[in-house]
Each structure stands twice: as structure tokens, then as C-alpha cells.
Amino acid sequence: SENGARGLLLTIYNELYRADFDLTIFEDDILFLQDPNLIMELAMKELPHDWDILYLGGTCLKPLIPHSEHLFQVQEMLATHAMCISVKGIKLLIKEIEEYLAFENKIPIDLIIARQIQPLGKCFVVNPLLAIQREGYSDIEKKHVNYSFMETLFNRFKPHG
């Protein structure tokens, strides 16, 4: 719903505004598919120096672009349950959120990121996918949601071969 999405946007905005370092966000409904430590260590080493966002999971809506062994470049991915944001990404996202808030737009934060930050080409997702959202009631959807579709979409859109 609008209230759940706006609450999430404002919560993330407040965290971004206070951070002067790379920030990792884990929402309360995160479900790790495996121990993330080794993959995250490898993926962080493979990130370009000018990265904006690294997703541990999300709802993939367009094909992923190969980047390295443990990273795909994101073209369009939604969800914010498990992501790392660089200092550069934080500055970009604060600017975009403030523009949306100034015009009273009711756009969820994951759509702001997909529309404004992801097209810059510096957003990535780990390979393999490390986290989805735990099945349960969604304050945003206002219903019970099973998020296993995140794995299905990731597998559909990741490069094969």
C-alpha cells in the first residue's frame, strides 16, 4: 500500500542521510538462501570501484548482464530487502528521493532506484542469488506473499552458458 511503501522510503532515506560510509540494508523479512559470507567476499572484490548498489537478491524484471564470476549487472530489479549501497550511490539516491518527496510523489523506493539509479549501469546482483524475502504478510501488498518467485525470475533472467 501507499503507507507501507512510503514508510519504507522514509526509513531508508533516514538511514542514508545519516551514513557517511557504504551502507548495507537488511529488512526484517530477509531470508538467506545460503551462508552469504564467501560469496559476498568474492563479489565485493569483483565490484568496479565506481559501483552504486549491490543486491543480494531482488525481483529481476529484465535480463542480467554478465560482469564477473559472482556478479551480474542489473538492468531492472525491484525490492530493497537485501542490498549494499556505496557512498556514491547514497548521494545519488538521497538526491532522487528528495526530488520525489518535494513533488509529493507516491513512488516506492525500489521504483525510484529502478528508474533513476539502475540505468546508470553501476548496479549489480550477486551470483548466486543469496537472499529473498520470507513468505508472510506484506505491509506494502496488504496480503500474504510467497516470494519464491524471486528465485524463479533470477534463474530466468541470468545468463546461461
Side-chain angles (χ1 to χ4, degrees):
S1 85
E2 185 179 297
N3 289 343
R6 185 139 178 109
L8 178 61
L9 183 144
L10 292 173
T11 298
I12 291 176
Y13 173 77
N14 287 332
E15 291 302 316
L16 294 172
Y17 198 79
R18 293 194 316 230
D20 57 357
F21 44 81
D22 296 347
L23 184 67
T24 300
I25 295 174
F26 292 144
E27 293 178 12
D28 61 358
D29 61 352
I30 188 173
L31 175 65
F32 285 104
L33 300 173
Q34 60 180 291
D35 183 328
N37 291 313
L38 176 61
I39 298 299
M40 283 301 295
E41 185 177 327
L42 295 168
M44 293 301 288
K45 289 178 183 173
E46 297 169 11
L47 274 172
H49 71 280
D50 60 347
W51 66 282
D52 292 327
I53 296 176
L54 174 62
Y55 291 92
L56 280 70
T59 302
C60 192
L61 300 177
K62 287 186 180 172
L64 297 162
I65 300 168
H67 177 76
S68 63
E69 185 178 355
H70 301 99
L71 292 175
F72 295 131
Q73 182 183 338
V74 168
Q75 292 194 86
E76 187 174 3
M77 181 169 280
L78 300 179
T80 57
H81 64 283
M83 63 182 188
C84 305
I85 309 173
S86 70
V87 171
K88 181 170 85 72
I90 288 170
K91 290 176 184 170
L92 288 170
L93 190 49
I94 285 173
K95 178 179 165 289
E96 294 300 334
I97 292 171
E98 287 176 346
E99 286 183 20
Y100 277 85
L101 291 174
F103 292 104
E104 296 289 321
N105 281 313
K106 309 281 192 253
I107 297 173
I109 186 146
D110 57 348
L111 278 178
I112 294 172
I113 294 170
R115 291 178 183 174
Q116 304 301 129
I117 309 294
Q118 291 173 4
L120 301 174
K122 302 297 180 181
C123 296
F124 300 88
V125 62
V126 295
N127 178 39
L129 194 71
L130 291 176
I132 62 172
Q133 288 173 267
R134 188 175 53 250
E135 180 177 351
Y137 183 80
S138 166
D139 291 330
I140 293 174
E141 300 289 332
K142 295 292 183 209
K143 64 180 181 181
H144 187 91
V145 180
N146 179 337
Y147 292 96
S148 61
F149 65 85
M150 289 180 163
E151 284 183 272
T152 304
L153 288 172
F154 180 83
N155 289 326
R156 178 183 304 157
F157 284 120
K158 77 178 183 180
H160 294 90

